[in-house]
Amino acid sequence: MPELPEVEVVRRGLFDHLVGRGVTSVEVLHPRAARRHAAGEADMIGQITGADVESAERRGKFLWLPLARGGASADAAIVVHLGMSGQMLVGPGDDRHLRIRAGLSDGAVLRFVDQRTFGGWAVDPLEEVAGTLVPASVAHIARDPLDPLFDRDAVVARMKRKDTEVKRVLLDQTVISGVGNIYADEALWRSGVHGRRRASALTKPALGRLIDDATDVMRQALDLGGTSFDSLYVNVNGQSGYFSRSLDAYGRDGEPCRRCGTIMRRESFMNRGSHFCPSCQTVPRR
């Protein structure tokens, strides 16, 4: 599933291609693509058609397109759920898995392609949370480390109060958003911390370094267009990211640790896999 760097790459592309354009038509080609819009497919189409795209915004892994009408400020937004295979593409392409097609005022076409149909669109009202307008469904999501208003010290203090596995805290989008399984493993490896260590047992400086490592690895991934393991994650032009070639932990079980040479391991964690070095990241006693 896309994490912060991948979603930010998509957001930047959408900003460049959509802002200032009007939506002239919307066609939902698969009912699951509109299932998150509680009022139904027809209502979603009606709210989007005729509106102008004011911006392209993101918080953590959540992406939305504020919509404005008649010169007024945006009061609603298309919330885009990419799921595991969702793609927001501008221009022509393979339509085998096309779920939503939107015509734009400049003649371009925005296409939502989703092979596995876990993603979709919904229109949400915008509400003000701590001085920032966000969709109602995103209001509970914490700021991410790339947000200019991200409060590192406050997040460290909140993490320190959590008496649970530190990787679980990293993945909790209400504590710190944007970090998923890939970048959690990378940050933990860089910090030399095993993901099953209790967050409350780590010092505040150690938690701060962990946040800094997560921030650094996501910035580096963003510079390389994100992490693509297959053809399902692409930017708005259909291009893949290349950070998978630079990963130090995720997906490297059975390979030597790039820091000490010990063979990397994988263990199950929260219905997914954790990748770590048993030498650099000491396994805590149960």
Side-chain angles (χ1 to χ4, degrees):
M1 186 174 292
E3 302 181 30
L4 184 156
E6 293 76 47
V7 178
E8 175 62 12
V9 168
V10 174
R11 186 204 69 79
R12 292 179 181 183
L14 293 174
F15 190 94
D16 291 341
H17 285 86
L18 301 185
V19 173
R21 277 74 167 180
V23 182
T24 57
S25 63
V26 179
E27 184 179 8
V28 177
L29 303 172
H30 194 293
R32 283 180 59 83
R35 70 188 183 280
R36 289 181 174 85
H37 189 80
E41 177 183 313
D43 181 80
M44 186 184 83
I45 291 173
Q47 290 200 49
I48 298 172
T49 305
D52 297 324
V53 179
E54 185 178 82
S55 184
E57 304 292 339
R58 177 195 58 75
R59 174 168 290 185
K61 299 182 280 186
F62 293 79
L63 175 69
W64 65 92
L65 304 173
L67 301 175
R69 290 180 180 273
S73 297
D75 58 5
I78 303 171
V79 180
V80 181
H81 299 269
L82 293 174
M84 296 184 68
S85 61
Q87 301 171 349
M88 294 283 281
L89 305 172
V90 178
D94 186 350
D95 286 348
R96 286 179 297 173
H97 304 294
L98 181 63
R99 308 307 182 195
I100 300 176
R101 181 192 295 117
L104 304 175
S105 56
D106 63 354
V109 176
L110 173 63
R111 298 159 46 247
F112 179 68
V113 174
D114 188 11
Q115 179 176 329
R116 297 176 182 171
T117 66
F118 292 138
W121 290 8
V123 177
D124 266 5
L126 292 172
E127 57 184 54
E128 186 171 331
V129 178
T132 303
L133 284 175
V134 297
S137 61
V138 181
H140 66 292
I141 300 299
R143 295 188 186 274
D144 63 72
L146 301 191
D147 189 317
L149 297 180
F150 180 76
D151 189 337
R152 177 182 178 276
D153 292 342
V155 174
V156 165
R158 190 171 182 191
M159 292 177 72
K160 179 68 176 172
R161 293 194 294 270
K162 298 285 186 178
D163 188 28
T164 188
E165 299 98 331
V166 68
K167 182 173 178 179
R168 189 182 295 271
V169 178
L170 279 177
L171 297 176
D172 185 344
Q173 303 300 297
T174 66
V175 176
I176 176 172
S177 67
V179 183
N181 201 42
I182 294 175
Y183 300 115
D185 281 359
E186 293 299 302
L188 289 163
W189 181 86
R190 291 186 178 200
S191 285
V193 175
H194 194 283
R196 283 199 274 110
R197 290 281 303 277
R198 312 297 285 187
S200 58
L202 295 170
T203 65
K204 286 186 176 182
L207 290 169
R209 287 192 296 271
L210 182 56
I211 291 175
D212 294 343
D213 285 333
T215 305
D216 289 344
V217 73
M218 289 193 292
R219 287 190 187 278
Q220 290 166 17
L222 180 56
D223 289 342
L224 292 177
T227 299
S228 296
F229 285 102
D230 54 33
S231 61
L232 296 182
Y233 163 68
V234 294
N235 64 18
V236 297
N237 298 313
Q239 299 168 327
S240 298
Y242 294 99
F243 191 69
S244 59
R245 302 174 184 178
S246 303
L247 293 172
D248 291 309
Y250 186 86
R252 296 196 68 247
D253 47 305
E255 300 180 31
C257 172
R258 292 196 172 116
R259 187 162 48 213
C260 74
T262 303
I263 298 302
M264 302 284 291
R265 293 183 186 173
R266 179 187 185 277
E267 65 179 12
S268 296
F269 184 81
M270 294 176 63
N271 298 318
R272 63 196 86 186
S274 282
H275 305 79
F276 65 99
C277 172
S279 179
C280 296
Q281 300 164 268
T282 306
V283 180
R285 293 182 180 180
R286 294 184 181 274

